[in-house]
């Protein structure tokens, strides 16, 4: 019988030999100088960067790393019979060898994976995980290496994790099984078929290592902090179906070294190591055993609906051909509204449908819908209404077979044929909203009832009334300035993966994720004083222009556990606010024009700084101050406080067109009021005008952009 440790050593040798072969072949074909890069990442070969501190850019550089990898693999002969360190190092070596194999596929081929295989994971995808990870919407990750004993069991375990919100990566034959069972797969639904072979696992390890570098500010080569980060911050685990080959066992050793338990039904030459290597012969119990091993506890809300409910369905797309009803607020009268009522006016859990239901129309028809959520509670405040209302989008969107976009009277809801066929009706939207509102806001909502209107005449009238309320709220929001409130708030939600980061949220500067306004932070604080948002006083002003307060510095120091001592709210150069990684936009100094460039996450093209969003993001995250670069929310761009210390929004010289269009109205108003310049967006270049400094400067000179004549930035 072969010892488990020897299976690790042999497996790592096997992986190494495959890497060597692939490298020799590629070198013979393309030569040492051939460029080597994985697409859409600023982290090179991230595992090489994280473990070896190496920024690999050519094929030839892999020769040297192969030598280094070898030193981590003593093999069965060289190792002390049960030297744990050698075993773990062999696991890491297997990941590195796997990265060599996988990276070579991308030489001269940007898309080596065809069909549903995902292969390399982009930086943008890594960042996408930021927010759901902090909020606990993604409670963990699983890597399933298969095939499972049957197609049915494969589908069951995958869906089982999906409905629990666990992010699923698939490797090997289980991907074919999922395809045969018609499971919809992809990043948005959190089921990612990585690749057919075990070495594709390196892409998942790369994701984890980048998360540590992006969100945790872990420095390349810092093994201790890397292990600490993956152990404490990444709730991952592995399910490996028998029979498990030695090469898979070697990757398993790497996973265990990172703190990720492996659960398997392979009993051959396996040992049980509590919480690390767990034999569970009954594969139907994999989910429960795994969740227990990684200490993942779920907050389950029981909702009386005929379909599943999980944050994994948030990204689900319902195509035109698959929809039963199309609720389209841009064509018919629709709206959503949350209202505070007196407790006596509310019958808790009442759900009333005023008008026809989904059955009354032909499949694929347009449908009008208005939802009023009425709440009552001793601690309820009208300032909470918009906060709760904006959650309707998320609450409904997590329902399987239902897609929701937009808010207020510009919503779009699609009900799929599949959901309709199993009995989903208008009332169930009410069930979802009732359960989630009560569950998430139990400290203020004592009673809740839902009214769903579907008669066009009613909707016309109600929509007009709703708009009066929206306008009133907007006026209140617009009247709030940093000067006329008594306190700011901080938000430390992102510390669960970016431990040193703190956002300071003011009326004129929302959180960099774009999701937390001053009112949101206030509500979060009042709903739960021990939650992520805390009061920040603003009594001791240090510098008005920079937006520096002694109280803010103290609060930031305390909240960042001493990592950060000084933060200004209005400057990009002097002690700028830090970023976790989930910024909507990044602003960076553009030296030639004496201005700044802003790029939003959705924009994948080049900026005149010679960097893409991803590349700029590598300089901006991890809770570290990076003067000259700053992450921020989209709505901050039109704020009068936007880089006020450097002269404000009139410094903006370039933005992607879509972003420019989005903020145009508000931005033009701001610059007109502050600087007397009309139609300022006409001065700002975009990707259709310039993607390099030369054409940018030509455009700015033609327009005589105000930044050209402003005080030098640097
Ligand atoms: Fe994270 Fe800042 Fe948004 Fe809070 S406000 S969730 S800390 S990015
Ligand atoms: Zn964040």
């Amino acid at each position: 019988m072969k010892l488990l440790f020897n299976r690790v050593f042999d497996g790592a040798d096997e992986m190494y030999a495959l890497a060597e072969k692939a490298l020799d072949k590629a070198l013979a074909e393309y030569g040492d100088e051939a460029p080597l890069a994985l697409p859409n990442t600023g982290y090179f070969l991230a595992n090489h960067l994280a473990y070896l501190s190496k920024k690999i850019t050519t094929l030839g550089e892999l020769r040297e790393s192969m030598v280094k990898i070898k030193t981590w693999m003593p093999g069965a002969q060289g190792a002390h019979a049960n030297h744990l360190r050698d075993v773990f190092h062999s696991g890491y070596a297997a990941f590195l060898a796997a990265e060599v194999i996988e990276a070579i596929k991308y030489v001269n081929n940007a898309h080596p994976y065809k069909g549903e295989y995902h292969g390399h994971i982009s930086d943008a995808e890594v960042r996408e995980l930021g927010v759901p990870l902090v909020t606990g919407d993604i409670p963990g990750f699983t890597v399933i290496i298969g095939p499972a004993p049957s197609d049915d069991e494969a589908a069951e375990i995958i869906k089982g994790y999906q409905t629990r919100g666990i992010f699923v990566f698939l490797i090997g034959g289980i991907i074919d099984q999922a395809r045969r069972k018609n499971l919809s797969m992809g990043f948005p639904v959190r089921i990612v078929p990585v690749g057919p072979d075990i070495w594709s696992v390196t892409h998942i390890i790369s994701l984890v290592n980048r998360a540590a570098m992006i969100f945790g500010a872990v420095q390349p080569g810092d093994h201790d902090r890397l292990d600490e980060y993956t152990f404490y911050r990444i709730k991952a685990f592995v399910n490996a179906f028998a029979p498990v080959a030695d090469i898979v066992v070697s990757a398993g050793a790497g996973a265990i070294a990172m703190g990720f338990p492996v659960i398997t039904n392979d009993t051959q030459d396996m040992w049980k190591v509590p919480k690390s290597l767990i034999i569970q012969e009954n594969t139907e119990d994999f989910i429960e055993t795994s969740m227990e091993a990684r200490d993942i506890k779920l907050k389950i809300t029981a909702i009386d609906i005929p379909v599943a409910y999980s944050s994994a369905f948030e990204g689900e797309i319902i195509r035109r051909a698959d929809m039963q009803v199309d609720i389209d607020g841009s064509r018919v009268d629709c709206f959503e509204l949350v209202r505070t009522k007196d407790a006596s006016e509310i019958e808790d859990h009442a759900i009333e449908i005023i008008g026809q239901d989904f059955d009354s129309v032909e499949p694929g028809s347009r449908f009008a819908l208005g939802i009023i959520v009425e709440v009552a509670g001793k601690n309820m405040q009208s300032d909470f209404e918009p906060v709760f209302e904006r959650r309707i989008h998320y609450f409904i969107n997590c329902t399987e077979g239902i897609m929701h976009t937009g808010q207020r009277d510009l919503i779009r809801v699609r009900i799929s044929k599949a959901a309709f066929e199993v009995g989903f009706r208008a009332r169930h939207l009410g069930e979802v909203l009732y359960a989630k509102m009560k569950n998430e806001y139990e400290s203020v909502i004592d009673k809740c009832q839902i009214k769903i209107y579907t008669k066009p005449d009613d909707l016309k009238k109600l929509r007009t009334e709703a708009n009066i309320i929206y306008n009133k709220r907007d006026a209140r929001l617009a009247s709030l300035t940093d000067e006329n409130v008594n306190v700011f708030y901080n938000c430390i939600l992102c510390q669960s993966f970016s431990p040193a980061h703190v956002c300071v949220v003011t009326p004129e500067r929302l959180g960099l994720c774009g999701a937390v306004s001053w009112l949101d932070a206030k509500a979060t604080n009042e709903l739960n004083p021990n939650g992520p948002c805390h009061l920040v006083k603003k009594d001791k002003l240090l510098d008005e222009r920079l937006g520096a307060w002694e109280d803010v510095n103290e609060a930031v120091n305390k909240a960042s556990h001493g990592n950060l001592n000084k933060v200004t709210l209005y400057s990009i150069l002097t002690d700028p606010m830090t970023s976790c990684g989930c910024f909507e936009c990044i602003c960076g100094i553009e030296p030639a024009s004496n201005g700044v460039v802003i790029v939003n996450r959705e924009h994948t093209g080049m900026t005149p700084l010679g960097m893409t969003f991803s590349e700029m993001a590598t300089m901006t995250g991890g809770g570290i101050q990076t003067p000259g670069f700053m992450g921020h929310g989209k709505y901050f761009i039109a704020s009068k406080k936007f880089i006020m210390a450097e002269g404000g929004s009139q410094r903006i010289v370039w933005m992607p067109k879509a972003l420019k269009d989005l903020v145009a109205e508000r931005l033009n108003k701001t610059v007109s009021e502050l600087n007397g310049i009309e139609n300022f967006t006409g001065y700002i270049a975009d990707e259709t005008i310039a993607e390099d400094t030369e054409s940018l400067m030509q455009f700015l000179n033609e327009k005589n952009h105000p930044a050209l004549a402003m005080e030098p930035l640097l």
Side-chain angles (χ1 to χ4, degrees):
M1 182 172 111
K2 193 155 151 188
L3 283 172
L4 175 65
F5 285 1
N6 289 341
R7 296 190 65 187
V8 175
F9 297 136
D10 289 354
D13 283 344
E14 219 177 292
M15 191 83 86
Y16 189 88
L18 287 168
E20 217 168 21
K21 203 167 137 209
L23 181 59
D24 286 346
K25 185 164 171 280
L27 283 170
E29 201 170 338
Y30 305 111
D32 277 57
E33 298 311 314
L36 181 67
L38 290 163
N40 303 317
T41 176
Y43 292 84
F44 308 90
L45 273 54
N47 297 332
H48 274 69
L49 183 65
Y51 296 140
L52 303 175
S53 236
K54 269 186 196 297
K55 295 179 178 173
I56 304 284
T57 56
T58 65
L59 206 48
E61 285 161 3
L62 289 179
R63 286 181 196 275
E64 205 189 306
S65 41
M66 289 300 284
V67 175
K68 178 77 194 165
I69 295 170
K70 189 86 199 170
T71 64
W72 284 13
M73 311 167 33
Q77 269 66 48
H80 306 85
N82 55 2
H83 200 304
L84 207 54
R85 193 165 164 270
D86 288 340
V87 173
F88 286 166
H89 266 167
S90 298
Y92 288 134
F95 290 151
L96 287 167
E99 190 169 51
V100 170
I101 303 172
E102 287 293 303
I104 287 173
K105 293 184 180 166
Y106 288 82
V107 178
N108 279 341
N109 185 357
H111 307 283
Y113 278 108
K114 300 279 177 269
E116 64 256 288
Y117 294 128
H118 190 285
H120 170 70
I121 294 160
S122 70
D123 284 1
E125 287 166 328
V126 177
R127 288 172 196 285
E128 222 173 86
L129 299 175
V131 177
L133 272 180
V134 258
T135 54
D137 286 341
I138 297 181
F141 298 88
T142 180
V143 182
I144 310 181
I145 305 169
S150 69
D151 289 6
D152 282 339
E153 204 176 307
E156 214 164 284
I157 191 166
I158 295 169
K159 296 246 2 162
Y161 281 124
Q162 188 189 32
T163 51
R164 287 165 175 83
I166 303 283
F167 202 109
V168 183
F169 292 104
L170 304 175
I171 292 178
I174 192 162
I175 297 173
D176 304 312
Q177 295 181 310
R179 192 191 324 107
R180 285 198 291 270
K181 296 298 286 184
N182 280 324
L183 288 192
S184 109
M185 294 188 272
F187 226 84
V189 288
R190 300 183 187 166
I191 301 174
V192 176
V194 187
D197 307 304
I198 183 62
W199 36 95
S200 64
V201 73
T202 198
H203 298 302
I204 305 165
I205 305 305
S206 160
L207 169 138
V208 169
N209 282 330
R210 272 178 287 161
M213 291 186 278
I214 292 172
F215 303 127
V218 174
Q219 292 306 306
D222 188 343
H223 291 245
D224 291 344
R225 289 215 38 224
L226 205 53
D227 286 349
E228 190 188 298
Y229 189 91
T230 55
F231 185 82
Y232 288 107
R233 311 272 167 191
I234 310 269
K235 296 246 175 207
F237 55 87
V238 180
N239 285 177
F241 285 105
V244 181
D246 288 358
I247 194 164
V248 177
V249 176
S250 70
I256 290 172
M258 298 173 88
F260 308 154
V262 177
I263 292 84
T264 181
N265 59 328
D266 193 327
T267 51
Q268 197 201 338
D269 308 332
M270 287 287 189
W271 300 346
K272 292 183 202 176
V273 187
K275 297 228 159 194
S276 293
L277 179 56
I278 299 162
I279 316 272
Q280 171 54 267
E281 289 189 48
N282 189 354
T283 51
E284 278 163 17
D285 290 338
F286 266 16
I287 296 185
E288 209 173 306
T289 310
S290 304
M291 307 276 279
E292 221 178 87
R294 201 60 182 98
D295 282 328
I296 298 173
K297 292 185 189 73
L298 298 179
K299 194 168 139 190
I300 305 262
T301 321
I303 308 179
D304 186 13
I305 49 174
V307 292
Y309 190 87
S310 155
S311 60
F313 297 112
E314 195 192 346
E316 187 188 24
I317 308 258
I318 310 230
R319 288 186 192 78
R320 183 161 287 281
D322 300 326
M323 74 190 178
Q324 180 77 21
V325 218
D326 183 20
I327 296 157
D328 183 351
S330 68
R331 310 207 178 233
V332 288
D333 291 314
C334 297
F335 71 94
E336 294 167 350
L337 189 65
V338 171
R339 294 301 278 156
T340 313
K341 293 268 154 181
D342 191 81
S344 64
E345 297 171 271
I346 294 188
E347 183 194 333
D348 192 41
H349 204 159
I351 297 168
E352 197 183 344
I353 314 292
I354 301 123
Q356 53 180 9
D357 208 327
F358 302 152
D359 330 67
S360 63
V361 293
E362 291 297 308
S365 300
R366 213 161 263 152
F367 199 85
L369 188 94
I371 300 176
I372 302 183
V373 178
E374 295 178 333
V375 298
K378 284 182 292 298
N379 302 320
M380 183 62 197
Q381 300 178 17
S382 56
D383 268 356
F384 298 159
E385 288 175 0
V387 176
F388 297 169
E389 193 177 289
R390 269 198 292 120
R391 297 284 283 167
I392 293 179
H393 160 68
Y394 176 76
F395 291 162
I396 291 185
N397 219 13
C398 293
T399 315
E400 183 183 25
I402 317 297
M403 186 171 98
H404 182 288
T405 57
Q407 55 167 325
R408 293 188 166 181
D409 65 345
L410 282 175
I411 51 169
R412 177 139 207 188
V413 190
R414 287 181 170 183
I415 313 289
S416 74
K417 285 181 181 151
F420 179 82
E421 271 152 29
V422 294
F424 195 94
R425 297 294 179 270
R427 179 174 69 82
H428 296 116
L429 292 173
E431 290 287 0
V432 167
L433 292 174
Y434 172 78
K436 293 304 286 180
M437 288 287 173
K438 284 283 291 240
N439 193 268
E440 301 248 329
Y441 301 113
E442 56 184 349
S443 60
V444 285
I445 301 182
D446 299 334
K447 286 167 96 180
C448 173
Q449 71 184 12
I450 318 280
K451 292 180 176 153
I452 297 178
Y453 296 88
T454 67
K455 286 186 205 152
D457 286 349
D458 288 353
L459 283 163
K460 202 172 191 61
K461 187 172 133 279
L462 289 166
R463 182 182 185 181
T464 312
E465 289 170 17
N467 266 295
I468 296 171
I469 297 167
Y470 301 144
N471 291 339
K472 260 196 211 147
R473 279 189 201 153
D474 287 346
R476 156 139 173 85
L477 204 60
S479 72
L480 291 171
T481 62
D482 290 5
E483 288 77 25
N484 70 13
V485 297
N486 297 324
V487 289
F488 298 149
Y489 292 90
N490 71 15
C491 179
I492 55 165
L493 194 59
C494 287
Q495 286 194 353
S496 62
F497 61 84
S498 191
H501 172 71
V502 186
C503 273
V504 181
V505 181
T506 79
E508 290 175 86
R509 180 169 189 169
L510 79 172
L512 56 90
C513 56
V516 180
S517 71
W518 183 84
L519 275 181
D520 293 312
K522 174 175 183 275
T524 306
N525 173 262
E526 286 171 21
L527 293 169
N528 177 11
N530 297 320
C533 295
H534 311 109
L535 279 179
V536 177
K537 284 198 272 175
K538 45 168 292 228
D539 299 331
K540 294 172 230 154
L541 182 69
L542 295 171
D543 188 317
E544 196 172 355
R545 187 184 62 95
L546 292 172
W549 280 265
E550 211 176 305
D551 319 75
V552 170
N553 289 343
E554 267 169 36
V556 162
N557 175 285
K558 189 167 162 238
S560 71
H561 316 286
N563 278 298
L564 205 63
N565 299 312
K566 279 201 273 178
V567 149
T568 67
L569 305 187
Y570 311 143
S571 173
I572 189 175
L573 288 172
T574 313
D575 308 322
M577 213 183 281
T578 62
S579 298
C580 40
C582 39
F583 29 68
E584 287 188 298
C585 305
I586 303 173
C587 177
I589 301 280
E590 204 292 305
S593 63
N594 199 30
V596 298
V597 159
I598 300 175
V599 59
N600 53 316
R601 180 182 296 272
E602 295 84 0
H603 188 73
T604 50
M606 192 42 81
T607 73
L609 296 185
M611 291 185 269
T612 59
F613 175 89
S614 305
E615 287 161 343
M616 283 166 77
T618 63
M619 320 183 57
T620 319
I624 294 168
Q625 273 171 334
T626 44
F629 287 94
M630 184 178 81
H632 59 85
K634 284 180 184 164
Y635 281 85
F636 187 45
I637 297 171
S639 164
K640 288 184 175 159
K641 299 299 192 299
F642 181 77
I643 59 168
M644 189 176 86
E646 285 81 25
S649 310
Q650 55 171 337
R651 286 273 187 194
I652 304 170
V653 294
W654 189 95
M655 275 197 263
K657 189 161 185 314
L659 181 64
K660 196 160 73 173
D661 292 345
L662 181 78
V663 301
E665 199 183 322
R666 296 173 58 245
L667 179 60
N668 287 337
K669 186 162 172 278
T670 301
V671 180
S672 160
E673 282 175 28
L674 287 180
N675 314 103
I677 302 168
E678 296 309 318
N679 190 25
F680 175 62
T681 42
Y683 294 81
I684 305 177
D686 58 42
E687 74 278 17
T688 66
I689 298 165
E691 285 189 316
D692 57 52
T693 324
E694 208 168 73
S695 36
L696 174 69
M697 287 310 292
Q698 195 187 335
F699 174 82
L700 299 177
N701 281 318
E702 266 166 34
K703 293 276 168 185
N704 197 15
H705 190 289
L708 300 171
M710 287 171 78
E711 204 180 303
L713 264 177
L714 300 172

